Amino acid sequence: MGKHIIVVAFVSAFLGAVVVFFQRSEKQAVKKLQAKEVVSERHSRISIEDFVLYEYEDHHATGTFQGKLAQFQDPDTLEVFGSVRGNRLKGEHKEFVASESAVMRFASKGLSELVKDAKLQTVVLENQVRFGSDDVTMFTDYAKYDHATGKLVSDRPVRVQNPQADMLGKKGFEYDSNTQDVKVFGPMEGTLVDVPKKP
C-alpha cells in the first residue's frame, strides 16, 4: 500500500512539473512576441523639450529656431511640435516663420554626423503656418522650404497682408529668400489701400 502511495505521488509530481513546464514555455513565447511588437513600433532616438537653436555668422547670432518638443525619428529627420518659430536677421532685413509642426531633413547618415555639421535640406511646415519678410506677412496651412533653391513654396490658399494690401491667393505662393521676391498665385481677391507718401 505504501508503494502505491509513493508511485501515485511521484506520477502526480511528474505530471505537475510537465504542465508547469509547458505553461511557462507558452508564457515566454507570448512575452517574446509582445517584445517584438514593441520593438517594431517607431520610437524617437532623442527627444528635446523647450529648446532654442542659434545660428551664428562670424560670432554674431543671425538666426534662431525654437519649439516645445523635437524628436529625431531617423538619423536625418527632426520632427518639431508646438510653437515652432524661426527668426533670421540679415542686416536690416528680417524674416520669421512659425507653425505648430515642422519636419526637417538633413544631409546626414547618422546622429553623430548630424550633430557635427549636417546641412539642412528641406523643412515642411504644417498647421497655422505664418511667414513674414520685413512688412509682408503670409498665412497658410502648409509650406515647404528647399534649402538648395532658397525657396519657400505652397500650393494651398494663402492670405497675404502688408500695410498696402490684404489679399487671398487661392493657389499658393512662392517666396525666394535670396531675392526676397514673393509670387502669389491666383485667382486672387482682397483689398488694396492707398497709403499717403511721407513728406
Side-chain angles (χ1 to χ4, degrees), residues 2-17:
K3 281 186 174 182
H4 294 299
I5 293 173
I6 293 173
V7 171
V8 170
F10 176 76
V11 171
S12 299
F14 179 75
L15 290 176

Side-chain angles (χ1 to χ4, degrees), residues 74-85:
D74 294 316
D76 64 346
T77 305
L78 177 66
E79 294 181 0
V80 187
F81 305 98
S83 302
V84 178
R85 184 170 178 99

Side-chain angles (χ1 to χ4, degrees), residues 31-43:
K31 284 183 181 179
K32 286 181 182 178
L33 183 60
Q34 288 173 344
K36 285 182 182 179
E37 289 175 4
V38 169
V39 169
S40 66
E41 288 180 13
R42 190 172 170 188
H43 295 288

Side-chain angles (χ1 to χ4, degrees), residues 40 92 111 139 171 179:
S40 66
E92 294 184 15
L111 288 174
F139 305 86
K171 297 199 176 172
T179 62

Side-chain angles (χ1 to χ4, degrees), residues 4-63:
H4 294 299
I5 293 173
I6 293 173
V7 171
V8 170
F10 176 76
V11 171
S12 299
F14 179 75
L15 290 176
V18 170
V19 169
V20 168
F21 176 77
F22 282 112
Q23 284 180 344
R24 186 173 174 199
S25 296
E26 286 178 14
K27 286 180 182 177
Q28 287 178 341
V30 169
K31 284 183 181 179
K32 286 181 182 178
L33 183 60
Q34 288 173 344
K36 285 182 182 179
E37 289 175 4
V38 169
V39 169
S40 66
E41 288 180 13
R42 190 172 170 188
H43 295 288
S44 63
R45 296 176 175 205
I46 297 175
S47 295
I48 308 167
E49 294 181 3
D50 290 321
F51 67 93
V52 179
L53 304 175
Y54 292 91
E55 178 184 59
Y56 287 93
E57 207 171 279
D58 295 327
H59 304 290
H60 297 287
T62 58

Side-chain angles (χ1 to χ4, degrees), residues 55 57 60-64 86-96 134:
E55 178 184 59
E57 207 171 279
H60 297 287
T62 58
T64 62
N87 296 298
R88 181 170 284 156
L89 178 63
K90 290 183 180 177
E92 294 184 15
H93 177 67
K94 297 177 184 177
E95 293 177 349
F96 81 88
D134 295 330

